[in-house]
């Protein structure tokens, strides 16, 4: 009799444990799905970081292509009338930059029909990340103008720029 009570008690305890474990299966499934999603995100992030670190050639090509686009951008706005900016710069720069150029930069810089600007210097200030920062000098026979330009490699366009003052080195050079 004593043994049968002990067996019944042990059976009830085991059934209780089994029921508890079965009730936790949905929660464990949810946790498994979340962990798999986190793992997938971590792998993607790691792969992107690994690509940048393990293949600097890819980043170098990205910077090289961006530098060409920034150079073409400066040549385009330096040698075009301000009225053509919305059309000629629409694929190269954000609307904010085009508005700044039209309203702020152009009136303070002499862009005449006879002046032709070259871009003798394009220097990279920050080459890592999706936003590349450049220092660019545009030079004509009469004047030189310097800009800091931010190029977003994800959006493939200039997203910010500001004009710098030049002292000495490029002023009135021929």
């Amino acid at each position: 009799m004593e043994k049968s009570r002990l067996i019944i008690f042990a059976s009830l305890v085991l059934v209780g444990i089994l029921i508890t474990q079965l009730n936790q299966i949905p929660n464990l499934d949810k946790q498994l799905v979340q962990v798999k999603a986190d793992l997938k995100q971590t792998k993607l992030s790691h792969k992107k970081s690994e690509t940048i670190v393990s293949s600097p050639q890819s980043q170098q090509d990205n910077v090289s292509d961006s530098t060409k686009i920034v150079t073409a951008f400066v040549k385009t706005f330096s040698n075009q009338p301000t009225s053509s900016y919305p059309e000629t710069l629409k694929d190269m720069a954000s609307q904010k930059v085009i508005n700044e150029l039209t309203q702020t930069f152009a009136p303070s810089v002499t862009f005449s029909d006879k002046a032709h600007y070259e871009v003798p210097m394009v220097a990279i200030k920050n080459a890592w990340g999706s936003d590349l920062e450049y220092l660019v000098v545009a030079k004509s026979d009469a004047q030189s103008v310097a800009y800091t330009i931010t190029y977003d490699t994800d959006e493939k366009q200039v997203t910010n720029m500001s004009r710098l003052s030049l002292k000495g080195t490029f002023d009135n050079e021929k």
Side-chain angles (χ1 to χ4, degrees):
M1 186 78 138
E2 186 79 24
K3 287 183 180 182
S4 64
R5 284 186 186 177
L6 189 59
I7 291 175
I8 292 175
F9 178 75
S11 298
L12 289 175
V13 169
L14 289 174
V15 167
I17 291 173
L18 182 62
I19 290 173
T20 304
Q21 294 298 321
L22 290 174
N23 285 336
Q24 290 185 2
I25 288 177
N27 291 338
L28 293 173
D29 284 341
K30 289 178 187 176
Q31 289 176 358
L32 178 63
V33 169
Q34 182 62 40
V35 168
K36 282 183 178 180
D38 291 346
L39 178 62
K40 183 177 180 181
Q41 183 64 33
T42 303
K43 282 183 178 179
L44 287 173
S45 176
H46 178 70
K47 184 176 180 182
K48 187 175 182 180
S49 299
E50 191 175 66
T51 301
I52 290 173
V53 172
S54 66
S55 64
Q57 185 63 40
S58 169
Q59 182 67 13
Q60 185 177 356
D61 291 345
N62 194 15
V63 169
S64 178
D65 292 345
S66 300
T67 302
K68 289 175 187 172
I69 293 169
V70 168
T71 303
F73 168 74
V74 174
K75 283 183 179 180
T76 301
F77 87 77
S78 296
N79 294 307
Q80 298 285 326
T82 56
S83 60
S84 70
Y85 286 175
E87 188 61 33
T88 58
L89 300 177
K90 69 179 178 184
D91 294 331
M92 300 172 123
S94 67
Q95 191 61 46
K96 173 187 163 229
V97 171
I98 293 171
N99 290 343
E100 283 181 10
L101 281 171
T102 304
Q103 298 168 7
T104 308
F105 293 137
S108 65
V109 180
T110 306
F111 292 130
S112 69
D113 293 336
K114 296 178 184 174
H116 178 74
Y117 281 82
E118 292 296 322
V119 182
M121 188 180 98
V122 178
I124 298 173
K125 183 178 176 185
N126 178 9
W128 293 103
S130 66
D131 290 345
L132 303 175
E133 295 178 38
Y134 290 92
L135 172 65
V136 180
V137 174
K139 181 179 183 291
S140 73
D141 289 339
Q143 68 181 347
S144 296
V145 184
Y147 302 98
T148 56
I149 295 177
T150 303
Y151 181 81
D152 189 329
T153 58
D154 294 334
E155 294 180 23
K156 302 267 188 244
Q157 60 179 235
V158 174
T159 56
N160 197 7
M161 71 181 292
S162 61
R163 183 171 177 214
L164 303 172
S165 60
L166 292 174
K167 298 194 186 229
T169 308
F170 292 100
D171 288 343
N172 298 321
E173 263 186 28
K174 291 205 175 202

